[in-house]
Amino acid sequence: MEFTNVTASALANIYFDGKVISHAITTASGEKKTLGVILPGSYHFGTEAAERMDIVGGRCTVILDDSEETLNVESGSHFDVPANSGFTIKVEDEACHYVCSFLS
Amino acid sequence: MEFTNVTASALANIYFDGKVISHAITTASGEKKTLGVILPGSYHFGTEAAERMDIVGGRCTVILDDSEETLNVESGSHFDVPANSGFTIKVEDEACHYVCSFLS
């Protein structure tokens, strides 16, 4: 998967001592996204804006805040996270690659 | 630092068990670059095409193959690596962010 005609930031975003790393892009229409990779482990992220998380490589399991359901998300699938909320994401075996779209 | 009007690949490049991670971009004029981050450690990379490595965050020390000189490269500086060669890069303390330009 690739994004054309975008602006890409050279400085990476680094979380959890480098276990989660992303680079920010802005599309021609002004959409803010991050292209990221999650190494094996379990991590909780909070959200401000609502987010759409597209998994584009590997797989993960996700539990949204205020939910007890475990979502199994494979490459090619996505999950949505409400604004002002969060999710716990767990990756096993191989790295998981994602595209996070911030929904205004 | 940011790059406008580029094509960005969503899948990351992962080296050394995630200690070095990059995302590839292609500029409008067809230049191939990677936006990457290096976590503390010492790593050797081989080159095929010649490369220009711009350090855009943090710092590193570099020893080019066939050289005994240690280069101290700060953010805002760069080093060049000949084709079919390599370099050993060492990062201490904070992560080092780079832009690698592949010189045809």
Side-chain angles (χ1 to χ4, degrees), chain A residues 24-25 46 50 56:
Chain A
I25 62 171
V56 297

Side-chain angles (χ1 to χ4, degrees), chain A residues 50-98:
Chain A
E51 296 176 10
R52 170 184 169 128
M53 285 281 289
D54 283 276
I55 303 305
V56 297
R59 67 188 52 77
C60 61
T61 58
V62 175
I63 300 175
L64 299 177
D65 287 5
D66 309 323
S67 167
E68 290 181 8
E69 181 189 5
T70 298
L71 309 173
N72 291 290
V73 191
E74 299 279 337
S75 182
S77 303
H78 77 278
F79 62 94
D80 296 312
V81 190
N84 306 308
S85 177
F87 61 99
T88 300
I89 187 164
K90 186 174 181 182
V91 169
E92 296 178 313
D93 307 327
E94 60 173 339
C96 177
H97 303 248
Y98 68 86

Side-chain angles (χ1 to χ4, degrees), chain B residues 29-98:
Chain B
S29 57
E31 289 176 85
K32 303 281 188 194
K33 298 177 183 286
T34 55
L35 312 178
V37 60
I38 305 171
L39 299 180
S42 179
Y43 315 94
H44 180 268
F45 284 93
T47 60
E48 292 172 17
E51 296 175 9
R52 169 183 169 128
M53 284 281 289
D54 283 274
I55 303 305
V56 297
R59 66 188 51 78
C60 61
T61 58
V62 174
I63 301 175
L64 299 177
D65 287 8
D66 308 324
S67 166
E68 290 181 9
E69 183 189 1
T70 297
L71 308 173
N72 290 292
V73 191
E74 298 279 338
S75 180
S77 303
H78 77 278
F79 62 94
D80 295 313
V81 191
N84 305 308
S85 178
F87 61 98
T88 300
I89 188 163
K90 188 173 180 183
V91 169
E92 295 178 313
D93 308 326
E94 60 174 340
C96 177
H97 304 248
Y98 68 86

Side-chain angles (χ1 to χ4, degrees), chain A residues 1-12 14 17-18 21 23 25 35-37 39 56-57 95 97 99, chain B residues 1-12 14 17-18 21 23 25 35-37 39 56-57 95 97 99:
Chain A
M1 174 189 276
E2 59 182 28
F3 295 86
T4 55
N5 195 18
V6 302
T7 296
S9 301
L11 280 179
I14 301 175
D17 295 330
I21 285 179
H23 283 97
I25 62 171
L35 311 178
V37 60
L39 299 180
V56 297
H97 303 248
V99 175
Chain B
M1 173 188 277
E2 58 182 27
F3 295 87
T4 55
N5 195 19
V6 301
T7 297
S9 300
L11 280 178
I14 301 174
D17 294 328
I21 285 179
H23 284 96
I25 62 171
L35 312 178
V37 60
L39 299 180
V56 297
H97 304 248
V99 175

